[in-house]
Amino acid sequence: MEYRIREADIDRLDSIRQFVSIVMSSLYPKGAYQENPHDLVFFEQVYVQPAHAGFFIAERSDGELLGTAAVRPYDRRFPELESAMDAGAACEMVKFYIHPDGRRQGIGSRLYERAERFAREAGYDVSYLHTSLYLPGGYPFWRSCGYVDCFRESEQIVHMSKRL
């Protein structure tokens, strides 16, 4: 399958919103996610304008989205994670979704490599994320990228971090 990884701009917002909505509704039970996530409602302010945030897409030559990944500053909303974050600049990996037809083909790895490179270039010392254990391949993928568990919120939700 031919595709490319690139940083998204505001022109792709409608297709990004649609893609994320479809994938989230297929992965999460109703009520377990926001149907209009704040960061996508304010996409330009969250991902386009700040130099320290970015949104990346994997797309076919016809523009069809195969995956998304985003980097933004971690807002330190979980006090349980402070020991894993130290005092360094921390980012959060979010909106990391791969279309079911694109899984197990290296798309996630390439998207992650691009997002991590961006995070390093933006000056982040630590990367944070949380994942649900029932997501197909999510937890093993993040472990293979070097993330370690730093807090288990529940039997299904794991918070992870990685030094960059």
Side-chain angles (χ1 to χ4, degrees), residues 34-100:
Q34 293 180 335
E35 293 188 23
N36 279 316
H38 179 270
D39 60 336
L40 296 185
V41 171
F42 296 98
F43 185 84
E44 190 167 8
Q45 296 90 335
V46 174
Y47 296 115
V48 177
Q49 293 173 351
H52 57 279
F55 200 102
F56 306 93
I57 57 174
E59 64 182 354
R60 292 183 189 182
S61 59
D62 64 3
E64 182 183 348
L65 290 184
L66 298 170
T68 60
V71 177
R72 66 182 184 202
Y74 170 58
D75 61 8
R76 301 197 181 263
R77 66 191 177 279
F78 296 103
E80 303 87 350
L81 305 177
E82 285 308 307
S83 63
M85 298 296 144
D86 296 328
C91 68
E92 183 172 5
M93 294 284 168
V94 296
K95 299 298 183 282
F96 200 96
Y97 297 113
I98 307 300
H99 188 280

Side-chain angles (χ1 to χ4, degrees), residues 73-74 76 85-91 119 122-127 163-164:
Y74 170 58
R76 301 197 181 263
M85 298 296 144
D86 296 328
C91 68
Y124 291 110
D125 302 306
V126 177
S127 178
R163 289 216 144 285
L164 296 176

Side-chain angles (χ1 to χ4, degrees), residues 84 139 142-143 146-151 158-162:
Y139 182 74
W142 293 116
R143 297 280 300 177
Y147 283 80
V148 296
D149 296 14
C150 51
F151 173 62
V158 179
H159 298 259
M160 305 176 82
S161 67
K162 175 183 179 179

Side-chain angles (χ1 to χ4, degrees), residues 116-143:
E116 183 180 85
R117 184 172 71 244
F118 174 86
R120 289 177 193 275
E121 291 169 357
Y124 291 110
D125 302 306
V126 177
S127 178
Y128 156 78
L129 62 90
H130 63 272
T131 188
S132 298
L133 295 176
Y134 60 82
L135 296 176
Y139 182 74
F141 173 78
W142 293 116
R143 297 280 300 177

Side-chain angles (χ1 to χ4, degrees), residues 17-35 66 96-101 103 132 134-136:
R17 283 182 178 156
Q18 182 179 14
F19 176 84
V20 169
S21 176
I22 289 168
V23 174
M24 286 176 64
S25 68
S26 73
L27 293 172
Y28 300 105
K30 194 87 168 149
Y33 64 95
Q34 293 180 335
E35 293 188 23
L66 298 170
F96 200 96
Y97 297 113
I98 307 300
H99 188 280
D101 295 342
R103 293 188 187 136
S132 298
Y134 60 82
L135 296 176

